Amino acid sequence: MSATTATTGRKRTIVERLTTSWLYIGLIGIGVVSFVRIITDTDDLTGAGTIRAAIIATCPILAAALGGLWAERAGVVNIGLEGQMILGTWGAAFFTYHYGPWVGILGAALLGLIGGLLHAVATVTFGVDHIVSGVAINLIGAGAATYLAEAIFPDYEGGGPRQLNGLEAPAQITIPGVSDLANSIADRHWFVVSDIASVVQALTTNISTLSLLIFALVIVSALVLWRTSFGLRLRSCGENPQAAETLGINVYLYKYVAVLVSGALAGIGGGFLALVASSGFSNGQTGGRGYIGLAAMIFGNWRPGGLLAGALTFGYTDSLRLRDTQSVHSLLLLVAIGLLAFAAWRAYKRQVTGALVVAGAGVLVMAWFLLTDSVPREFTVMTPYVTTMFVLALGSQRLRMPAADGKPYRRGSAG
Amino acid sequence: MPSAVDAVQLRGIGKRFPGVVANHDVDVTIRPGTVHALIGENGAGKSTLMKILYGVQRPDDGTIAIEGEQVVLKSPTEAIEVGVGMVFQHFMLADNLTVLENMVLGAEKLHGIGDGARTEIRRISDRFGFDLDPDVLVERLGVAARQRLEIAKVLYRGARIIILDEPTAVLVPQEVDALFENLRELTSAGNSVLFISHKLDEVLAIADDITVMRRGTTVGTADPATATKQELAELMVGSELPSPETEESTVTDTVQLSLSDVTLTDEFGRNLLSDLSLTIRRGEVLGIAGVEGNGQAELVETIMGMRIPTAGRIMLGDEDVTHWHTRRLREAGIGYIPEDRHRHGLLLDAPLWENRILGHQTRPPSSKGMFINRRGARKDTERIVADYDVRAPGIDTPSRALSGGNQQKLIVGREMSGDPVLLIASHPTRGVDVGAQAAIWDHIKRARRAGLAVLLISADLDELIGLSDTIQVILRGRFVGTFDPAKVTPQDLGTAMTGGAA
């Protein structure tokens, strides 16, 4: 057991390094947001209501992103996350109606897993192009959920051909003392302090246990994928399956497991939409969150911490869109500051062209912010997608995907 | 005495693939604690034999005995269990994982994936002078370090018999010396090494025993203490092929292609090509001899505009084409028979007439303005099929359905159409039957008489001697000798190719 004691020494330094850098990034982020809030006088930007909405918007994206992480780390591009999520919404509705919310979540995972199984059979066993198979699963998922809802839900209480309402939600948790204290600090609208208090308040007041579960799954995934030999083998299949094969690893098996887990996680994300984000199933309620999840994972550079940051960013912009146009207008300032900071960083790294392009974009957004009072409704709907595009366009040069991601692999091709 | 038992005994190994006999009647005996070299030309069957010994492929005939025990190896896992490990020519490493992760992958049960493994890696590294840091990402390692990691990986799994497939192909001389030091450490610790190579000076420097392969079988053994490079080259090359007959010279005075001091550097800053200069006149065939991987592919890609030289100048006729891209070069009249017709020459699932258009998509008869001229292309494909004797059911047949020889004849016909001024032929008769070989030789000779300049690269020395007007030998990206094919023998060339005195 000398191994474990000695490793902890090294592990702690990594954890320390990560937490401190994340702490700094988080603090700077909150500082900028707080600054924008005060400048533009939109307290809603970090109101507890907004944060709560942001957490709810984040969770399905996060679950889908985790699903993407599992599949892509094993070398399978799972663009079928959207379809698996849709299957999850139906599964959650059906099983919750009969057996309550927790069985409902298992049902959501099961339906998502079936979608994952389809994808695995197509891509791993038959070598179908991952994108083709994924698109097919999105179509099948949407079609199957529509059909099943129409066939089954009209007979249920609160159900119709396109929805099933009044489902029981998983329990919510409030931590009494902390919640009230945070609330009172948040109401003072102090710089940074109140913003942090808002976050604490949102996390301690009526937070869904399913949200907590999904956040916990990020940590579980990180540990399983990076701290176990199972995870090492799984990742090796995404990096160099031929090498894995020469070392006696059953690449097909690991790819199957990864894609099944991926589907189940996407299904849980769908279940969250049906049970927590709204109080029932309705047709088409995923609204492209599977794709946003995939984008969050790419934004996060195929790492758990990164995809968490991505999902939070997208969830936050998504929640602002739901609240009022004034906040979205303030967001322009936030984006402009972000772009200019990024341009400065580029210039510091002596990437002149990149710096100029980004600075130009930043100036444009800043001008847009200064010259207008509000952002048209149509634009606010686009916000999360535009943000995604921006982030991907600016960040893509640093991204490092698994080396064999999306590449077909046939057994016996080594050597 | 256990050390008297042979480490590996291969008896009568045979392996057939559809249409090809890769190995037959192979016998190899490796004594314990020695470096055993297996030498032979490309395509002699060395790699297949290695894959059989490592369980990647199963032999059709013959027996394998490891340390006196008969074994049947169905997978690499089983080979590892009996103590056989292999270092592939193309490293089997995941760049985005650390040294430690690559090392323990698949063998996590031995020492875990944490500090136990880290200690063991340090122990192996120190014992054999590998200088490996467990926590570095593999992508940060240089080629030599990656190779040491591959060897360490094999040792970590407890292998006592280590197969190295052309380990020096990617190393610079100093790195080769260091590797040999490592290998001596390994054998002195009782391990056996099977060393596959076709570089004779290296083999003579490191091997305790030598087995020579040619055309899928073992043709002899040699004692490195007494054998000379000359003898080994003769054994390796043999000379049993029907040789193309040399004809009267048709060389003119007009220079068609000239390279002056062309240098090409890879991303690690090493020279793939160093100061190459050559000229080819109209009506001249310049042959390039060399052991594969000494810069031939890079030379061709540089002339074809697929790589841009780091320094030097390339002239086609009177024009400086150093920075031209491939399509412009092709339009200027360069025909190209690629080394690997499946990867570079053909779309296997496209019909013959579409393959006819490849590389000629901007020129009549394949195109008319900005549109593809289907009728013209089809008609011209009919012409090629007839003139070049491409045996195919029709021009709508996918090219995959053709035999290698017929595929190659189609490519030759395509590259000869449109009146090229320069033909680059990379291994034009590799993997084709004898009939097609003779036909391709005839086409090249006829074109030469018509004033075509030809750059011929081949591993078949008889082909080089028979077709060329001049032969240049390339070694490690440099020309190391010029020969007159009328006077040279395959043995002379073999010596020069493997680094002997020219």
Side-chain angles (χ1 to χ4, degrees):
Chain A
M1 280 292 96
S2 66
T4 31
T5 46
T7 357
T8 42
R10 199 181 72 91
K11 263 186 204 164
R12 199 176 300 129
T13 60
I14 285 181
V15 170
E16 269 170 16
R17 190 162 52 82
L18 282 182
T19 44
T20 46
S21 69
W22 281 110
L23 202 64
Y24 283 130
I25 292 172
L27 271 181
I28 292 169
I30 291 176
V32 173
V33 173
S34 181
F35 173 72
V36 171
R37 168 177 68 83
I38 288 167
I39 291 282
T40 58
D41 193 24
T42 42
D43 287 334
D44 213 20
L45 217 48
T46 59
T50 308
I51 304 293
R52 193 172 303 126
I55 290 171
I56 287 174
T58 297
C59 283
I61 296 172
L62 185 58
L66 272 182
L69 179 76
W70 275 76
E72 302 221 354
R73 277 290 168 185
V76 178
V77 173
N78 188 1
I79 206 173
L81 287 171
E82 175 77 5
Q84 289 146 5
M85 248 182 141
I86 296 173
L87 288 171
T89 59
W90 186 88
F94 180 82
F95 286 96
T96 303
Y97 184 84
H98 288 289
Y99 309 106
W102 289 105
V103 178
I105 290 158
L106 288 179
L110 176 71
L111 266 279
L113 186 132
I114 291 171
L117 180 65
L118 271 178
H119 194 54
V121 169
T123 57
V124 180
T125 304
F126 293 108
V128 174
D129 183 275
H130 300 184
I131 304 294
V132 172
S133 165
V135 170
I137 281 162
N138 288 338
L139 296 173
I140 292 168
T146 308
Y147 170 78
L148 288 172
E150 239 176 77
I152 295 173
F153 289 165
D155 301 336
Y156 289 0
E157 191 190 329
R162 302 175 59 76
Q163 74 279 324
L164 179 60
N165 292 324
L167 294 172
E168 188 194 337
Q172 295 182 333
I173 296 176
T174 302
I175 304 173
V178 184
S179 169
D180 297 336
L181 181 66
N183 187 17
S184 64
I185 297 175
D187 282 343
R188 307 284 166 83
H189 304 307
W190 290 335
F191 179 65
V192 179
V193 178
S194 293
D195 303 293
I196 293 173
S198 283
V199 175
V200 172
Q201 191 194 346
L203 284 172
T204 51
T205 313
N206 291 337
I207 189 164
S208 170
T209 40
L210 188 52
S211 297
L212 295 176
L213 175 74
I214 290 174
F215 282 110
L217 282 174
V218 180
I219 298 164
V220 172
S221 295
L223 289 177
V224 170
L225 290 176
W226 272 270
R227 292 272 176 255
T228 65
S229 54
F230 167 83
L232 174 61
R233 288 170 171 225
L234 191 148
R235 283 184 297 126
S236 75
C237 297
E239 296 290 343
N240 190 341
Q242 281 81 16
E245 182 188 337
T246 61
L247 299 175
I249 286 164
N250 185 345
V251 177
Y252 287 179
L253 175 70
Y254 282 88
K255 285 192 181 235
Y256 256 89
V257 171
V259 179
L260 291 182
V261 171
S262 170
L265 286 166
I268 291 174
F272 184 93
L273 282 173
L275 299 180
V276 180
S278 58
S279 63
F281 167 87
S282 67
N283 226 351
Q285 75 190 131
T286 56
R289 283 185 182 78
Y291 301 114
I292 299 279
L294 207 57
M297 177 205 66
I298 295 168
F299 166 74
N301 202 6
W302 287 265
R303 314 226 23 133
L307 68 83
L308 176 61
L312 284 169
T313 310
F314 298 149
Y316 178 64
T317 49
D318 200 26
S319 70
L320 276 188
R321 152 180 92 85
L322 293 171
R323 295 189 73 85
D324 68 331
T325 48
Q326 178 61 34
S327 318
V328 176
H329 186 244
S330 324
L331 205 58
L332 285 177
L333 179 60
L334 199 60
V335 170
I337 292 175
L339 285 171
L340 291 173
F342 190 66
W345 184 73
R346 275 286 178 89
Y348 172 73
K349 292 260 170 186
R350 297 185 184 282
Q351 295 162 322
V352 181
T353 357
L356 285 177
V357 171
V358 177
V363 169
L364 279 179
V365 177
M366 183 67 91
W368 186 7
F369 169 76
L370 293 174
L371 299 176
T372 57
D373 288 331
S374 68
V375 176
R377 195 90 211 159
E378 289 74 16
F379 279 105
T380 56
V381 179
M382 283 163 46
T383 317
Y385 303 94
V386 174
T387 320
T388 310
M389 295 271 292
F390 254 116
V391 166
L392 293 185
L394 297 179
S396 60
Q397 285 128 356
R398 297 191 306 111
L399 299 182
R400 176 77 155 79
M401 68 195 266
D405 198 8
K407 294 198 183 132
Y409 161 79
R410 298 280 85 190
R411 186 174 281 162
S413 56
Chain B
M1 228 178 105
S3 65
V5 179
D6 289 327
V8 176
Q9 258 195 357
L10 301 175
R11 286 289 168 269
I13 298 288
K15 175 75 184 173
R16 290 173 294 274
F17 295 110
V20 192
V21 178
N23 279 158
H24 64 94
D25 303 312
V26 172
D27 296 314
V28 179
T29 303
I30 304 174
R31 295 181 292 134
T34 61
V35 175
H36 190 108
L38 185 68
I39 61 173
E41 278 283 290
N42 282 295
K46 299 176 307 236
S47 289
T48 306
L49 185 64
M50 290 312 94
K51 286 183 190 170
I52 288 170
L53 182 54
Y54 189 52
V56 177
Q57 270 152 2
R58 298 184 65 178
D60 298 321
D61 314 302
T63 58
I64 303 171
I66 305 293
E67 288 165 350
E69 300 271 328
Q70 288 268 342
V71 292
V72 176
L73 303 172
K74 289 193 284 288
S75 71
T77 322
E78 295 185 16
I80 294 167
E81 274 167 22
V82 299
V84 177
M86 173 148 181
V87 175
F88 288 87
Q89 187 180 357
H90 302 285
F91 298 148
M92 288 292 172
L93 296 171
D95 283 1
N96 204 14
L97 302 184
T98 62
V99 166
L100 175 107
E101 288 175 322
N102 270 285
M103 191 88 91
V104 302
L105 184 57
E108 298 91 343
K109 291 213 175 70
L110 292 176
H111 305 281
I113 63 170
D115 257 28
R118 204 166 275 118
T119 314
E120 176 66 8
I121 293 166
R122 292 232 168 81
R123 191 188 67 76
I124 292 174
S125 178
D126 292 345
R127 170 73 183 81
F128 297 107
F130 286 162
D131 189 25
L132 291 169
D133 180 349
D135 295 306
V136 170
L137 274 188
V138 166
E139 67 180 358
R140 297 192 182 281
L141 298 186
V143 181
R146 285 175 196 223
Q147 186 155 52
R148 293 196 299 273
L149 167 58
E150 284 279 26
I151 297 172
K153 231 166 87 177
V154 165
L155 294 171
Y156 187 83
R157 285 161 173 72
R160 297 173 305 280
I161 298 151
I162 300 152
I163 308 168
L164 299 172
D165 190 2
E166 305 204 4
T168 61
V170 288
L171 302 181
V172 299
Q174 300 86 317
E175 292 170 340
V176 171
D177 293 341
L179 172 70
F180 286 180
E181 281 300 313
N182 295 147
L183 294 187
R184 290 200 185 91
E185 288 285 333
L186 286 175
T187 49
S188 65
N191 300 292
S192 314
V193 175
L194 182 56
F195 183 92
I196 303 163
S197 183
H198 43 215
K199 294 187 178 161
L200 299 179
D201 43 359
E202 291 173 3
V203 166
L204 289 173
I206 185 71
D208 299 303
D209 298 296
I210 300 173
T211 298
V212 185
M213 281 189 83
R214 187 170 78 228
R215 298 199 178 179
T217 192
T218 41
V219 293
T221 56
D223 178 358
T226 56
T228 64
K229 275 200 272 185
Q230 200 86 18
E231 290 164 8
L232 292 178
E234 273 174 50
L235 268 173
M236 264 169 73
V237 175
S239 49
E240 297 161 21
L241 272 180
S243 70
E245 276 176 39
T246 318
E247 294 184 354
E248 222 171 280
S249 171
T250 57
V251 180
T252 63
D253 291 336
T254 330
V255 172
Q256 188 62 65
L257 177 78
S258 71
L259 270 64
S260 30
D261 300 323
V262 168
T263 297
L264 182 71
T265 310
D266 70 3
E267 70 251 46
F268 304 112
R270 295 193 305 210
N271 281 357
L272 299 170
L273 302 175
S274 310
D275 299 324
L276 291 190
S277 297
L278 61 82
T279 54
I280 310 179
R281 297 175 190 82
R282 288 172 58 81
E284 178 179 5
V285 177
L286 175 69
I288 305 281
V291 173
E292 211 148 316
N294 275 288
Q296 295 97 318
E298 290 78 10
L299 173 63
V300 168
E301 287 171 7
T302 306
I303 298 174
M304 282 305 296
M306 289 142 79
R307 295 172 184 250
I308 299 297
T310 324
R313 201 156 64 123
I314 304 174
M315 302 280 290
L316 182 69
D318 300 329
E319 292 199 82
D320 184 342
V321 299
T322 315
H323 294 282
W324 285 22
H325 55 76
T326 308
R327 196 181 75 207
R328 197 162 166 210
L329 287 163
R330 291 192 69 111
E331 283 169 358
I334 301 189
Y336 174 35
I337 302 173
E339 175 178 341
D340 182 342
R341 57 183 164 263
H342 289 176
R343 281 182 58 207
H344 292 129
L346 294 170
L347 298 177
L348 288 173
D349 291 311
L352 301 190
W353 68 269
E354 283 187 4
N355 275 293
R356 159 68 185 87
I357 297 173
L358 292 183
H360 297 251
Q361 63 272 34
T362 53
R363 281 175 282 169
S366 300
S367 76
K368 210 183 239 176
M370 58 178 291
F371 295 103
I372 291 294
N373 181 355
R374 284 174 76 101
R375 190 181 302 166
R378 293 177 66 94
K379 207 172 143 211
D380 200 60
T381 312
E382 303 271 13
R383 176 189 66 80
I384 292 173
V385 167
D387 289 0
Y388 288 81
D389 188 30
V390 180
R391 301 204 185 131
I395 60 167
D396 289 310
T397 316
S399 59
R400 187 188 293 282
L402 271 55
S403 73
N406 284 309
Q407 289 175 347
Q408 195 72 348
K409 284 190 278 186
L410 178 76
I411 292 177
V412 173
R414 174 179 80 197
E415 298 305 323
M416 292 290 197
S417 51
D419 293 321
V421 295
L422 170 69
L423 178 70
I424 297 174
S426 241
H427 306 281
T429 60
R430 171 177 284 178
V432 308
D433 55 278
V434 179
Q437 188 176 38
I440 291 168
W441 283 338
D442 277 344
H443 290 303
I444 292 177
K445 283 190 227 168
R446 199 179 311 149
R448 164 175 170 266
R449 282 199 294 276
L452 185 71
V454 179
L455 179 68
L456 175 68
I457 287 145
S458 181
D460 179 343
L461 299 182
D462 296 304
E463 175 175 270
L464 279 175
I465 292 170
L467 290 178
S468 308
D469 295 296
T470 314
I471 296 177
Q472 291 271 17
V473 175
I474 192 167
L475 179 67
R476 298 192 187 110
R478 291 176 190 280
F479 286 139
V480 293
T482 308
F483 292 89
D484 179 354
K487 295 174 192 147
V488 77
T489 64
Q491 286 69 30
D492 296 338
L493 285 180
T495 310
M497 280 160 60
T498 49

